[in-house]
Amino acid sequence: MSLRVVHPGAYYHSESLEAAPHAGHSDRLVRPEDLGSVRLSDYNVVLVPCRTPADRMTPRIDQLAAYLDAGGTVVATGESESQLFLPGISFTPQPTNFWWWLTPGADLGVRIAAPEHPLFRRLTQRDITWHLHGWFDPPEGVEVLAVNGEGKPILYIDQVTTRGRMVITSLDPFFHHGSHFMPATTRFLDGFLPWMREELDR
Amino acid sequence: MSILFIHSHYGPTPAAYAEAEAAGRVRVVRETELTVADFEDVAGLLTTTHLDQIGFAAFIPALTALLDRGGRWFFNGHMLRLFVPGLGLYTPLTKPIRRPDFALTRLNDHPIFAGIDQKSLEESRGVAGFYGRGHNALPEGGLAVNVIPAALFPIDWEWRRPAGGRIFSHAGNDLGGMGGEGGTGALVTQRALAWCAGEVGQ
C-alpha cells in the first residue's frame, strides 16, 4: 500500500479523501505545499484530485517530472489544469452542459474506448457519464480509455511521454462526490479507486 | 473599512467580486497569499466553497479577532473543520433524496433575502438540489433563515456570536451562483457584501 494523495483542503477534498467510503484508498495525504519535503520515490502512485489549484502545484513541476522519469505513476483528475504542472498534456476546455440529461433520450456521447481494459470490469459507461469539461489531444501511443461524443479522449494512460505513467482525465469525480452530488461520480470512485489500488499501486 | 474576499480557486476572480474590488468595496486576496494583516482593517470577510479549510485554520486567531471587534463572516460551503467555538460540522441529507426534500422554506426573514422569491433560488432550469443538500450545524442561539424540509435542516443561518461578531452560513454552492447570472444570484451577492460591510442587518 503506497499511495500519496495531494490534499488541497477544500470541503469536497476532505469529504472524498478523509471520509467513508473512500478514505481507505489514501495511505498518506499531503498538502501541495508540503510535497517538496516528501520523497515521492517511496510511493507507487501520486494522486492529484479534481480542482487542485494549479498554482499550488506548479512549484512542484520539476519534482513531479523527476518522479515520473524514475518510473512513478501520477493520477490526475479533472478541473485541476493538469497541463500546467504535468508534462505532455494538451487540454481543450469546453463549456459544460450541466443540463443535457433534461432532454428526453439525450446522449452526452461519452463512450468507453477500451472495453477490454481492466478498469471497465469495475466501471460501466453509465459510471463515467455525468458532464464534460473538455478533452485532450494526447501524444501518439497513449492508451485511450474513454472519449467524448466527437471521439476525443477524456480519460487516458500515458506511458510514452515519460519513463513513468500518467493517468489523466477531465472527469471531476472527487468534486461532485465530495459535494454529495451526482451519484455517477460516487460510482466512478467506487470502481476507479480499487482499480488504482490493485493495478497501479505495485 | 472594506470587505476581505478570499479567492481560493485557481482562475479569475468571479465577476461580481472583481467589480466590487474595482469599486474599492472589496479587497480580493488569493488564499495562497493571505496574511494576518489582511484581516486587520476590514469590516467583514467572505469565503467561498473552495476555501482551503485546512490552511484557513492558521488564521483562526485573525478570524477570531475580526469577530471579537464586531466583524462579520459570510461562509459558503460545507463546514468540515471547526474555526470558532460554537460552530458545528456539516450534515448531508440522508439518502434516498427526493424532490420534496429540496423545497426551500423561509423560516425567518433576513435582509439578504428580503423580497427574493425563494423559488428562484430553489430550482435551476426546473431542477432542484443545487442550492444545497445538507446543513452546517446551527449554533445555539442562531437564526435559521432558509430550511430544507427534512427535519427543517437550516441550510442558511445567521449567528450573532455572544463574544462578538456575526457569522452567516450558506451550506451549498456559492450563494451568488444561485438564480442565474445577473438574476437573483447577483442581487444576493450584493446583499451578502452589504451584510459583510455591516450596512444591513443591524
Side-chain angles (χ1 to χ4, degrees):
Chain A
M1 299 232 309
S2 77
L3 223 80
R4 197 79 185 196
V5 180
V6 172
H7 191 341
Y11 78 75
Y12 39 84
H13 298 126
S14 293
E15 180 66 31
S16 295
L17 303 177
E18 299 174 14
H22 301 126
H25 294 291
S26 303
D27 296 333
R28 298 289 297 276
L29 301 171
V30 60
R31 307 274 292 146
E33 292 74 18
D34 295 335
L35 264 174
S37 61
V38 173
R39 193 167 62 185
L40 294 183
S41 58
D42 289 345
Y43 297 87
N44 291 330
V45 180
V46 173
L47 169 64
V48 185
C50 323
R51 293 187 187 248
T52 296
D55 59 348
R56 296 173 64 188
M57 293 298 294
T58 47
R60 305 266 60 90
I61 286 176
D62 291 345
Q63 184 188 15
L64 291 168
Y67 170 69
L68 285 164
D69 273 331
T73 295
V74 174
V75 177
T77 55
E79 294 293 90
S80 294
E81 307 274 4
S82 306
Q83 72 277 8
L84 298 180
F85 56 87
L86 292 173
I89 298 177
S90 174
F91 176 66
T92 302
Q94 67 179 82
T96 299
N97 178 4
F98 294 99
W99 312 102
W100 63 274
W101 51 275
L102 288 174
T103 304
D107 180 358
L108 184 62
V110 171
R111 295 290 182 269
I112 292 171
E116 73 288 354
H117 191 275
L119 176 61
F120 298 111
R121 292 184 206 133
R122 299 176 177 276
L123 292 178
T124 67
Q125 189 164 290
R126 186 169 160 264
D127 303 331
I128 60 172
T129 300
W130 54 94
H131 55 235
L132 295 167
H133 287 288
W135 68 85
F136 301 97
D137 288 296
E140 196 170 328
V142 307
E143 185 175 21
V144 176
L145 300 185
V147 295
N148 66 13
E150 288 70 47
K152 290 287 194 178
I154 60 169
L155 169 61
Y156 67 92
I157 301 177
D158 180 347
Q159 298 188 89
V160 298
T161 299
T162 69
R163 295 191 190 94
R165 174 170 50 187
M166 292 185 287
V167 181
I168 304 297
T169 183
S170 56
L171 298 172
D172 55 347
F174 291 97
F175 173 62
H176 293 291
H177 167 76
S179 298
H180 302 277
F181 206 51
M182 296 190 190
T185 62
T186 300
R187 296 196 305 271
F188 181 94
L189 294 178
D190 288 346
F192 184 85
L193 293 176
W195 167 76
M196 183 177 70
R197 171 69 77 192
E198 289 183 16
E199 300 292 331
L200 306 182
D201 180 15
R202 59 184 185 183
Chain B
M1 296 281 272
S2 64
I3 303 157
L4 172 61
F5 173 81
I6 299 180
H7 178 178
S8 297
H9 65 284
Y10 179 74
T13 305
Y17 302 110
E19 289 164 13
E21 182 184 35
R25 186 164 168 71
V26 170
R27 179 193 303 154
V28 175
V29 178
R30 183 76 178 92
E31 190 170 9
T32 50
E33 297 165 3
L34 190 65
T35 68
V36 169
D38 290 316
F39 292 76
E40 288 175 354
D41 62 347
V42 294
L45 164 69
L46 194 146
T47 56
T48 73
T49 52
H50 306 295
L51 179 71
D52 172 4
Q53 297 191 19
I54 297 173
F56 192 59
F59 295 96
I60 286 175
L63 171 67
T64 304
L66 168 67
L67 294 168
D68 285 348
R69 65 172 187 267
R72 299 180 176 194
W73 178 25
F74 192 105
F75 175 90
N76 286 288
H78 305 176
M79 275 186 199
L80 293 188
R81 294 289 192 277
L82 297 177
F83 304 103
V84 176
L87 296 179
L89 297 176
Y90 175 81
T91 303
L93 280 172
T94 51
K95 296 172 183 175
I97 301 171
R98 303 184 192 288
R99 173 64 184 86
D101 293 330
F102 298 127
L104 284 172
T105 301
R106 181 81 45 78
L107 204 62
N108 289 290
D109 289 335
H110 191 279
I112 290 177
F113 297 96
I116 290 177
D117 174 17
Q118 203 62 47
K119 203 75 177 173
S120 71
L121 297 170
E122 182 179 310
E123 293 188 349
S124 190
R125 299 201 187 190
V127 179
F130 290 92
Y131 192 78
R133 294 170 165 248
H135 75 293
N136 297 318
L138 179 69
E140 188 177 341
L143 178 76
V145 178
N146 295 313
V147 302
I148 40 183
L152 291 179
F153 278 171
I155 193 166
D156 295 316
W157 51 253
E158 178 179 323
W159 179 43
R160 298 185 182 205
R161 180 171 167 264
R166 301 189 196 185
I167 298 172
F168 192 98
S169 162
H170 168 64
N173 288 329
D174 290 337
L175 196 49
M178 300 295 109
E181 287 291 326
T184 307
L187 176 59
V188 170
T189 299
Q190 295 308 316
R191 296 258 185 89
L193 290 174
W195 180 87
C196 284
E199 296 164 359
V200 298
Q202 301 307 311

Coordinates of all heavy atoms in Angstrom, one line a residue, chain A residues 7-12 14-15 18 31 51 53-56 81 84 99 101-102 179-181, chain B residues 8 10 30 32 49-55 77-78 80-81 90 92 124-125 127 129-130 133:
Chain A
H7 N -3.8 16.8 -1.0 CA -5.0 17.2 -0.3 C -5.0 18.7 -0.2 O -4.4 19.4 0.6 CB -5.0 16.7 1.1 CG -6.3 16.8 1.9 ND1 -7.3 17.8 1.5 CD2 -6.9 16.2 2.9 CE1 -8.3 17.7 2.3 NE2 -8.1 16.8 3.2
P8 N -5.7 19.4 -1.2 CA -5.7 20.8 -1.2 C -6.6 21.5 -0.1 O -6.6 22.7 0.0 CB -6.3 21.1 -2.6 CG -6.2 19.9 -3.4 CD -6.3 18.8 -2.4
G9 N -7.5 20.7 0.5 CA -8.1 21.2 1.7 C -9.5 21.8 1.6 O -10.1 22.2 2.6
A10 N -10.1 21.8 0.4 CA -11.5 22.3 0.2 C -12.4 21.2 0.8 O -12.0 20.0 0.9 CB -11.8 22.6 -1.2
Y11 N -13.7 21.6 1.1 CA -14.5 20.6 1.8 C -14.7 19.4 0.9 O -14.8 18.2 1.5 CB -15.9 21.2 2.2 CG -16.9 21.4 1.0 CD1 -17.5 20.3 0.5 CD2 -17.1 22.6 0.4 CE1 -18.4 20.4 -0.6 CE2 -18.0 22.8 -0.6 CZ -18.6 21.7 -1.1 OH -19.5 21.8 -2.2
Y12 N -14.8 19.5 -0.4 CA -15.0 18.4 -1.2 C -13.8 17.5 -1.3 O -14.0 16.2 -1.5 CB -15.5 18.8 -2.7 CG -14.8 20.0 -3.2 CD1 -13.5 19.9 -3.9 CD2 -15.3 21.2 -3.1 CE1 -12.9 21.0 -4.4 CE2 -14.7 22.4 -3.7 CZ -13.5 22.2 -4.3 OH -12.8 23.3 -4.8
S14 N -11.9 17.1 1.5 CA -11.9 16.4 2.8 C -13.0 15.3 2.8 O -12.7 14.2 3.3 CB -12.2 17.4 3.9 OG -11.2 18.4 4.0
E15 N -14.1 15.6 2.2 CA -15.2 14.6 2.2 C -14.7 13.4 1.3 O -15.0 12.2 1.7 CB -16.5 15.2 1.6 CG -17.6 14.2 1.5 CD -18.1 13.8 2.9 OE1 -18.0 14.6 3.8 OE2 -18.6 12.6 3.0
E18 N -11.1 11.9 3.2 CA -11.0 11.6 4.6 C -12.1 10.8 5.1 O -12.1 10.1 6.1 CB -10.9 12.9 5.4 CG -9.8 13.8 5.1 CD -9.9 15.1 5.9 OE1 -10.7 15.2 6.8 OE2 -9.1 16.1 5.5
R31 N -0.3 18.0 1.8 CA -0.7 19.3 1.3 C 0.2 19.6 0.1 O 1.4 19.3 0.1 CB -0.5 20.3 2.4 CG -1.2 19.9 3.7 CD -2.6 20.4 3.7 NE -2.6 21.8 3.8 CZ -3.6 22.5 3.2 NH1 -4.6 21.9 2.5 NH2 -3.6 23.8 3.3
R51 N -9.9 19.7 -9.1 CA -9.9 21.1 -8.5 C -8.8 21.4 -7.5 O -9.0 22.1 -6.5 CB -11.3 21.4 -7.9 CG -12.3 21.5 -9.0 CD -13.7 22.0 -8.5 NE -14.7 21.8 -9.5 CZ -15.3 22.8 -10.2 NH1 -15.0 24.1 -9.8 NH2 -16.2 22.6 -11.1
P53 N -5.9 23.6 -7.0 CA -5.4 24.8 -7.7 C -4.1 24.6 -8.3 O -3.1 24.3 -7.7 CB -5.4 25.8 -6.6 CG -6.4 25.3 -5.6 CD -6.2 23.8 -5.6
A54 N -4.0 24.9 -9.6 CA -2.8 24.6 -10.4 C -1.6 25.4 -9.8 O -0.4 24.9 -9.9 CB -3.0 24.9 -11.9
D55 N -1.8 26.6 -9.4 CA -0.7 27.4 -8.9 C -0.1 26.9 -7.6 O 0.9 27.4 -7.1 CB -1.1 28.9 -8.8 CG -2.3 29.2 -7.9 OD1 -2.9 28.2 -7.5 OD2 -2.5 30.3 -7.6
R56 N -0.8 25.9 -6.9 CA -0.3 25.3 -5.8 C 0.5 24.1 -6.2 O 1.2 23.5 -5.3 CB -1.4 24.9 -4.8 CG -2.1 26.2 -4.2 CD -3.3 25.9 -3.4 NE -3.0 25.2 -2.2 CZ -3.9 24.6 -1.3 NH1 -5.2 24.8 -1.6 NH2 -3.5 24.0 -0.3
E81 N -6.4 21.8 -14.2 CA -5.4 22.4 -15.2 C -4.1 21.6 -15.1 O -3.0 22.2 -15.0 CB -5.1 23.9 -14.9 CG -6.4 24.7 -14.8 CD -6.9 25.2 -16.1 OE1 -6.3 24.9 -17.2 OE2 -7.9 25.9 -16.1
L84 N -0.7 22.4 -16.7 CA 0.2 23.4 -16.2 C 1.3 22.8 -15.2 O 2.3 23.5 -14.9 CB -0.6 24.5 -15.4 CG -1.6 25.2 -16.2 CD1 -2.3 26.3 -15.4 CD2 -0.9 25.9 -17.4
W99 N -27.0 20.3 -18.3 CA -28.4 20.1 -18.4 C -28.8 19.1 -19.5 O -30.0 18.9 -19.8 CB -29.1 21.4 -18.7 CG -28.7 22.5 -17.7 CD1 -27.8 23.5 -17.9 CD2 -29.1 22.6 -16.4 NE1 -27.6 24.2 -16.8 CE2 -28.4 23.7 -15.8 CE3 -30.0 21.8 -15.6 CZ2 -28.6 24.1 -14.5 CZ3 -30.1 22.2 -14.2 CH2 -29.4 23.3 -13.7
W101 N -29.1 16.1 -19.8 CA -30.0 14.9 -19.4 C -31.4 15.4 -19.3 O -32.3 14.5 -19.1 CB -29.5 14.3 -18.1 CG -29.3 15.3 -17.0 CD1 -28.2 16.1 -16.8 CD2 -30.2 15.7 -16.0 NE1 -28.4 16.9 -15.7 CE2 -29.6 16.7 -15.2 CE3 -31.5 15.3 -15.7 CZ2 -30.3 17.3 -14.1 CZ3 -32.2 15.9 -14.6 CH2 -31.6 16.9 -13.9
L102 N -31.7 16.7 -19.3 CA -33.1 17.1 -19.2 C -33.8 16.8 -20.5 O -35.1 16.8 -20.5 CB -33.2 18.6 -18.9 CG -32.8 19.0 -17.5 CD1 -32.8 20.5 -17.3 CD2 -33.8 18.4 -16.5
S179 N -19.2 16.7 -2.8 CA -20.3 17.7 -2.6 C -21.7 17.0 -2.4 O -22.7 17.6 -2.4 CB -20.4 18.6 -3.9 OG -19.3 19.3 -4.0
H180 N -21.6 15.7 -2.3 CA -22.8 14.8 -2.1 C -23.8 15.1 -3.3 O -25.0 15.3 -3.2 CB -23.5 15.2 -0.8 CG -22.7 15.0 0.4 ND1 -22.5 13.7 1.0 CD2 -21.9 15.8 1.1 CE1 -21.7 13.9 2.0 NE2 -21.3 15.1 2.1
F181 N -23.2 15.1 -4.5 CA -23.9 15.5 -5.7 C -23.5 14.5 -6.8 O -22.3 14.2 -6.9 CB -23.6 16.9 -6.0 CG -24.6 17.7 -6.8 CD1 -25.9 17.7 -6.3 CD2 -24.3 18.4 -7.9 CE1 -26.9 18.4 -7.0 CE2 -25.2 19.1 -8.6 CZ -26.5 19.2 -8.1
Chain B
S8 N -10.1 31.5 -3.4 CA -9.4 30.2 -3.1 C -9.2 29.4 -4.3 O -8.3 28.5 -4.3 CB -10.4 29.5 -2.1 OG -10.5 30.1 -0.9
Y10 N -8.2 28.4 -8.4 CA -7.3 28.9 -9.4 C -8.1 29.5 -10.6 O -9.0 28.8 -11.1 CB -6.4 27.7 -9.9 CG -5.5 28.1 -11.0 CD1 -4.3 28.9 -10.7 CD2 -5.7 27.8 -12.3 CE1 -3.5 29.3 -11.7 CE2 -4.8 28.2 -13.3 CZ -3.7 28.9 -13.0 OH -2.8 29.3 -14.0
R30 N -5.8 36.4 -3.0 CA -5.6 34.9 -3.3 C -5.2 34.2 -2.0 O -4.3 34.7 -1.2 CB -4.5 34.8 -4.4 CG -4.2 33.4 -4.8 CD -5.3 32.9 -5.8 NE -5.0 31.6 -6.3 CZ -5.4 30.5 -5.7 NH1 -6.2 30.5 -4.6 NH2 -5.1 29.3 -6.1
T32 N -3.5 31.8 -1.3 CA -2.1 31.4 -1.1 C -1.2 32.6 -0.7 O -0.1 32.4 -0.2 CB -1.5 30.8 -2.4 OG1 -1.9 31.7 -3.5 CG2 -2.1 29.5 -2.7
T49 N -16.9 28.3 -1.5 CA -16.9 26.8 -1.3 C -15.5 26.2 -1.5 O -15.3 25.1 -1.0 CB -17.8 26.2 -2.3 OG1 -17.5 26.6 -3.6 CG2 -19.3 26.5 -2.1
H50 N -14.6 27.0 -2.2 CA -13.3 26.4 -2.5 C -12.3 26.7 -1.4 O -11.1 26.4 -1.5 CB -12.8 27.0 -3.8 CG -13.8 26.7 -4.9 ND1 -14.1 25.5 -5.4 CD2 -14.5 27.6 -5.7 CE1 -15.0 25.6 -6.3 NE2 -15.3 26.9 -6.5
L51 N -12.7 27.3 -0.3 CA -11.8 27.6 0.8 C -11.0 26.4 1.2 O -11.5 25.3 1.4 CB -12.6 28.1 2.0 CG -11.8 28.5 3.3 CD1 -11.0 29.8 3.1 CD2 -12.7 28.7 4.5
D52 N -9.7 26.6 1.3 CA -8.8 25.6 1.9 C -9.0 25.6 3.4 O -8.4 26.4 4.1 CB -7.4 25.9 1.5 CG -6.4 25.0 2.2 OD1 -6.8 24.0 2.9 OD2 -5.1 25.2 2.0
Q53 N -9.9 24.7 3.8 CA -10.2 24.8 5.3 C -9.1 24.3 6.2 O -9.1 24.6 7.3 CB -11.5 23.9 5.5 CG -12.7 24.5 4.8 CD -14.0 23.8 5.2 OE1 -14.2 23.2 6.3 NE2 -15.0 24.0 4.3
I54 N -8.2 23.5 5.6 CA -7.0 23.1 6.4 C -6.1 24.3 6.6 O -5.7 24.6 7.7 CB -6.3 21.9 5.7 CG1 -7.3 20.7 5.7 CG2 -5.0 21.6 6.5 CD1 -6.7 19.5 4.9
G55 N -5.8 24.9 5.5 CA -4.9 26.1 5.5 C -5.5 27.2 6.3 O -4.8 28.0 7.0
G77 N -20.5 27.0 1.8 CA -19.9 25.7 1.7 C -20.2 24.8 2.9 O -21.1 25.1 3.7
H78 N -19.5 23.7 2.9 CA -19.7 22.7 4.0 C -18.6 22.9 5.0 O -17.5 22.8 4.7 CB -19.7 21.3 3.4 CG -20.6 21.0 2.2 ND1 -20.7 19.8 1.5 CD2 -21.6 21.8 1.7 CE1 -21.6 19.9 0.6 NE2 -22.2 21.1 0.7
L80 N -16.3 21.5 7.3 CA -15.7 20.2 7.7 C -14.6 20.4 8.7 O -13.9 19.5 9.0 CB -15.3 19.4 6.5 CG -16.5 18.9 5.6 CD1 -16.0 18.0 4.5 CD2 -17.6 18.2 6.4
R81 N -14.3 21.6 9.0 CA -13.4 22.0 10.1 C -14.0 23.0 11.0 O -14.9 23.7 10.5 CB -12.1 22.6 9.5 CG -11.2 21.6 8.6 CD -10.6 20.5 9.5 NE -9.6 19.8 8.8 CZ -9.8 18.7 8.0 NH1 -11.0 18.3 7.8 NH2 -8.8 18.1 7.4
Y90 N -20.8 20.0 9.1 CA -21.9 19.8 8.1 C -22.5 18.4 8.2 O -21.8 17.4 8.4 CB -21.2 20.0 6.7 CG -22.1 19.7 5.5 CD1 -23.0 20.7 5.1 CD2 -22.1 18.5 4.8 CE1 -23.8 20.5 4.0 CE2 -22.9 18.3 3.7 CZ -23.7 19.2 3.3 OH -24.5 19.0 2.2
P92 N -25.0 16.1 5.7 CA -25.7 16.0 4.4 C -27.1 15.4 4.6 O -27.3 14.7 5.7 CB -24.8 15.0 3.6 CG -24.1 14.2 4.6 CD -23.9 15.0 5.8
S124 N -32.9 25.5 -10.6 CA -32.2 26.0 -11.7 C -32.6 25.2 -12.9 O -32.5 24.0 -12.9 CB -30.7 25.9 -11.4 OG -30.0 26.6 -12.4
R125 N -33.2 25.9 -13.9 CA -33.8 25.2 -15.1 C -34.7 24.1 -14.7 O -34.7 23.0 -15.3 CB -32.7 24.6 -16.0 CG -31.8 25.7 -16.5 CD -31.0 25.3 -17.7 NE -30.1 26.3 -18.1 CZ -29.4 26.2 -19.3 NH1 -29.6 25.3 -20.1 NH2 -28.5 27.2 -19.5
V127 N -34.7 22.3 -12.1 CA -34.1 21.2 -11.4 C -33.7 21.7 -10.0 O -33.1 22.7 -9.8 CB -32.8 20.6 -12.1 CG1 -32.2 19.5 -11.3 CG2 -33.2 20.2 -13.5
G129 N -32.1 21.1 -6.0 CA -31.0 20.4 -5.4 C -29.6 21.1 -5.5 O -28.7 20.7 -4.8
F130 N -29.6 22.1 -6.3 CA -28.3 22.8 -6.5 C -28.0 23.8 -5.3 O -26.9 24.1 -5.0 CB -28.3 23.7 -7.8 CG -28.3 22.8 -9.0 CD1 -29.4 22.4 -9.6 CD2 -27.0 22.4 -9.5 CE1 -29.4 21.6 -10.8 CE2 -27.0 21.6 -10.7 CZ -28.2 21.2 -11.3
R133 N -27.7 20.6 -0.1 CA -28.1 19.3 0.2 C -27.8 18.8 1.6 O -27.6 17.7 1.9 CB -27.4 18.3 -0.8 CG -27.9 18.5 -2.2 CD -27.1 17.8 -3.2 NE -27.8 17.8 -4.5 CZ -28.4 16.7 -5.0 NH1 -28.2 15.5 -4.5 NH2 -29.0 16.8 -6.2

